[in-house]
Amino acid sequence: MAENKAARVLARLFNALFFFVFTLLFLEIVFRRYGEETGKNLFWADYKQHLGIVLVALIITALALLVYRFVVARPPRRSRRLRAHETQTTGELGKKALVIIFVATGIILVLQVLAAYYLWNVPVTDSRAMHVYSTSIATEGNFDIVRRSMESGDYYLIEYPNQTAMLLINSLVYRIWYLMTGNITRMPMVGINVLSINAAILMTALLARKVYGDKKALMALGLCALFVPYFTYTAYVYTDTFSIPYVVGVVWMFLSVMTMEKPVPRTILMVVCGMLTFIGFKIKGNLIVLVVALLGYALLKLRFKRFLVLALAFVMGFACLNVVYKVALKTTNIMQQDHADRYEFPSTHWIMMGLHGHGGFDMDDYRFTQGFTSKKEKQEANIEVIKEDLKEMGVDGLLEFLTTKEIWTWGDGTYYVSNHIGQPIKKNVLHEYLLPDGKHYYRQYAYSCGFQYFLILMMALSALKGFIKGKLDPTLLFRVAVFGVFLFLMMWETRSRYLFNFTPFFLLLAVDGADSGVRIIRKVKEMCKRNEG
């Protein structure tokens, strides 16, 4: 490992930027949070409700700091029984911690299965489209549904090629189930969805153990258990949930490979890491920021020769699987090239859409782009609108818009789940808490948003600690990934749900932020005592 002076300076500068941006984001959310429907300043428009959310955030923060100070950071008693469990690698609980992690994750899995069962719903929006198309593909054994859809004026799959990987996964699962049982049900996909989120929780705890040690890993697992979206999203099958184990799993694997000494296994595993990253990227496009974060961290952390070898191995794995994927698509002939050239939406469409309203989906923008007869024309029209919007806003207007956009994206602790489970098969007590028309909705909303405020504050404190210490540790990688998705959604079409697959890093940084918060409180106490003396 080579941590040169220049790399440490760059790390400090980045941590300072992260601290500034996320502290500002926290303050903007607290004092200027916007409602989706009204666009009003909720701090003034609905003072009591917003004050309740802030109060919940303060309570969660206080409890987290207390737990960290008196449980996590408390030195263990040197009893014989404890010494028997201590190891040189973790210095704390050793195998006992692993048992706790796996048992607790198993309990969470049971609760997630129950949540998925009681939140069973009629799929809506993109999830519904996946279900409808996959059902036809699975029962007919071909992709004729694409052609028939186009003949009826539905160009969804052509317009959004980023949905193709999820369509193939969904169709394959449905096809296997259909051949086995003769019918189609969403149950196997919901089951895989539950396992995907649960696997992400397990890997988050294991990654925390690898980076922080046993006690902090258990705290990270506890935060996962208290994070409501990990239960409410079990019944919503889509790219956000299916990609989450790849996000945290790839980082765990990448960090493990970086510390390996044997060159051949290290290189092979890095190729595999690149392949897994590609799979996650095809499921959810925002994983592209993870590629930049991983390679950037490795460049700062490793000697250049080792970095070059591992980077080439990673890129080779990513590129090779990309070639295989393209060949597979061409072989299946799901979409013809002339159709793609005519109907496919260019990336500029989502950038244009991200400059209107709150930066979310806009039907007028969709129809505007759809109205042009070729991909090139669509792109040129989008760029023209983008230029006009930027000119009309000016610098001040653009900053104001981006502030509103980030508040709207990051301030929603429910991750917009009510929109996706809003058509339940049968209503029950959970819907009274999770749907806006429920009797107890505000209680859940206040808790979820309060927890989100807590996470943002802790991430800022984690960056402050990183700035002060100036170390090139894995928390730097977590911050780069989070900041990457922050920038990505700043320029792209956005929605709080789009943050979901990066939430493991929020929780990992929250643990580190709690450590920073406790240290700050300790320093303040020491200063007060010195002043009194």
Side-chain angles (χ1 to χ4, degrees):
M1 300 290 177
E3 296 185 12
N4 57 55
K5 188 175 181 180
R8 293 171 71 91
V9 170
L10 286 173
R12 281 183 184 273
L13 290 173
F14 170 76
N15 283 321
L17 177 63
F18 189 103
F19 173 71
F20 172 78
V21 170
F22 273 74
T23 300
L24 185 62
L25 176 65
F26 175 77
L27 294 174
E28 291 284 0
I29 288 174
V30 168
F31 293 103
R32 288 179 49 188
R33 189 176 185 282
Y34 287 79
E36 180 183 350
E37 298 300 328
T38 63
K40 292 181 180 179
N41 184 327
L42 284 188
F43 188 79
W44 301 113
D46 200 341
Y47 178 82
K48 289 184 179 180
Q49 286 191 351
H50 189 69
L51 191 62
I53 295 172
V54 175
L55 180 61
V56 169
L58 292 174
I59 292 172
I60 294 173
T61 301
L63 290 174
L65 294 178
L66 287 171
V67 168
Y68 189 89
R69 169 64 182 84
F70 294 105
V71 179
V72 178
R74 185 177 182 179
R77 294 180 180 179
R78 299 287 298 175
S79 65
R80 290 182 181 179
R81 184 178 180 183
L82 181 61
R83 285 198 298 270
H85 288 291
E86 288 182 340
T87 67
Q88 291 183 348
T89 54
T90 65
E92 294 175 335
L93 302 174
K95 292 182 179 179
K96 187 177 180 180
L98 277 178
V99 173
I100 295 172
I101 287 172
F102 278 97
V103 170
T105 306
I107 294 171
I108 291 172
L109 176 61
V110 172
L111 295 175
Q112 288 176 310
V113 170
L114 291 173
Y117 175 77
Y118 286 107
L119 295 177
W120 197 270
N121 56 82
V122 177
V124 296
T125 62
D126 295 299
S127 183
R128 178 186 176 278
M130 289 293 106
H131 175 67
V132 171
Y133 285 117
S134 297
T135 298
S136 272
I137 293 169
T139 53
E140 297 172 9
N142 56 55
F143 295 96
D144 288 349
I145 181 65
V146 179
R147 175 182 51 77
R148 293 200 304 272
S149 297
M150 290 180 62
E151 289 174 354
S152 63
D154 181 2
Y155 307 110
Y156 176 83
L157 291 176
I158 308 294
E159 292 169 344
Y160 297 109
N162 56 311
Q163 306 285 7
T164 305
M166 189 66 194
L167 174 71
L168 293 175
I169 294 170
N170 212 118
S171 300
L172 177 62
V173 173
Y174 277 17
R175 180 64 175 172
I176 293 172
W177 188 267
Y178 179 74
L179 292 175
M180 291 172 56
T181 66
N183 61 70
I184 295 292
T185 174
R186 293 174 61 238
M187 186 171 64
M189 283 297 288
V190 171
I192 296 173
N193 197 56
V194 171
L195 291 175
S196 294
I197 301 174
N198 189 260
I201 292 173
L202 175 60
M203 285 186 281
T204 300
L206 294 177
L207 182 56
R209 184 172 186 261
K210 180 180 183 64
V211 174
Y212 300 140
D214 291 338
K215 287 187 175 181
K216 291 183 183 180
L218 295 180
M219 182 175 179
L221 184 60
L223 291 178
C224 289
L226 296 173
F227 190 58
V228 173
Y230 283 166
F231 299 90
T232 55
Y233 262 95
T234 53
Y236 177 66
V237 179
Y238 197 50
T239 56
D240 311 275
T241 50
F242 259 59
S243 63
I244 191 171
Y246 291 96
V247 175
V248 64
V250 162
V251 170
W252 179 86
M253 187 176 186
F254 192 91
L255 291 174
S256 299
V257 173
M258 280 182 62
T259 57
M260 293 176 65
E261 291 301 327
K262 295 182 179 180
V264 175
R266 184 176 65 214
T267 304
I268 293 173
L269 288 176
M270 190 57 78
V271 171
V272 174
C273 191
M275 290 180 172
L276 292 175
T277 305
F278 175 80
I279 295 172
F281 166 68
K282 293 311 295 184
I283 294 174
K284 190 70 178 179
N286 64 0
L287 261 78
I288 193 65
V289 305
L290 198 58
V291 176
V292 179
L294 292 171
L295 295 181
Y297 177 74
L299 178 61
L300 294 176
K301 188 74 174 175
L302 302 176
R303 295 186 184 279
F304 185 72
K305 186 177 179 180
R306 175 177 284 197
F307 162 75
L308 196 59
V309 172
L310 293 183
L312 287 173
F314 180 88
V315 172
M316 185 171 68
F318 192 97
C320 286
L321 209 56
N322 183 40
V323 171
V324 173
Y325 179 75
K326 287 184 176 179
V327 170
L329 285 184
K330 191 173 182 180
T331 303
T332 54
N333 198 30
I334 300 176
M335 302 170 195
Q336 297 177 13
Q337 188 59 46
D338 59 334
H339 291 157
D341 291 338
R342 181 176 180 182
Y343 298 110
E344 184 179 319
F345 280 20
S347 57
T348 49
H349 165 75
W350 287 274
I351 297 174
M352 179 190 73
M353 191 180 290
L355 287 170
H356 297 152
H358 291 109
F361 177 82
D362 187 286
M363 182 57 72
D364 290 336
D365 285 340
Y366 169 79
R367 288 170 178 160
F368 173 81
T369 302
Q370 189 184 46
F372 294 90
T373 57
S374 72
K375 185 177 180 180
K376 184 180 179 181
E377 288 182 7
K378 297 178 197 294
Q379 181 173 312
E380 291 173 350
N382 292 157
I383 292 173
E384 191 62 34
V385 172
I386 292 169
K387 288 180 179 178
E388 291 175 2
D389 289 338
L390 293 176
K391 184 178 180 180
E392 183 180 340
M393 287 184 191
V395 176
D396 292 341
L398 179 62
L399 289 175
E400 178 65 24
F401 171 79
L402 292 177
T403 299
T404 303
K405 184 178 182 179
E406 294 301 335
I407 291 171
W408 185 67
T409 303
W410 290 80
D412 178 17
T414 69
Y415 291 72
Y416 201 52
V417 73
S418 61
N419 183 66
H420 306 296
I421 61 170
Q423 295 185 25
I425 300 298
K426 184 178 181 181
K427 274 196 172 185
N428 55 61
V429 67
L430 289 181
H431 296 102
E432 295 296 327
Y433 288 87
L434 298 175
L435 299 184
D437 60 352
K439 185 189 298 185
H440 307 296
Y441 175 73
Y442 176 70
R443 295 179 182 179
Q444 175 274 143
Y445 185 76
Y447 171 78
S448 296
C449 289
F451 199 93
Q452 180 75 359
Y453 293 10
F454 154 75
L455 290 178
I456 293 170
L457 178 60
M458 290 299 103
M459 286 192 282
L461 291 180
S462 172
L464 178 61
K465 175 185 171 184
F467 171 74
I468 294 170
K469 290 197 169 185
K471 290 184 177 180
L472 299 177
D473 57 22
T475 57
L476 176 64
L477 171 58
F478 303 157
R479 287 184 216 108
V480 173
V482 171
F483 200 75
V485 79
F486 176 88
L487 293 177
F488 179 82
L489 293 179
M490 181 180 286
M491 70 172 188
W492 206 254
E493 179 245 333
T494 190
R495 173 73 68 186
S496 54
R497 169 169 60 84
Y498 300 169
L499 296 171
F500 182 83
N501 56 348
F502 276 76
T503 52
F505 301 136
F506 300 180
L507 297 161
L508 288 167
L509 289 174
V511 175
D512 191 57
D515 177 78
S516 178
V518 169
R519 288 171 185 269
I520 291 171
I521 293 172
R522 187 183 297 126
K523 290 287 184 183
V524 171
K525 283 184 176 180
E526 291 174 357
M527 289 175 61
C528 291
K529 286 181 180 180
R530 283 199 298 268
N531 291 333
E532 289 176 1

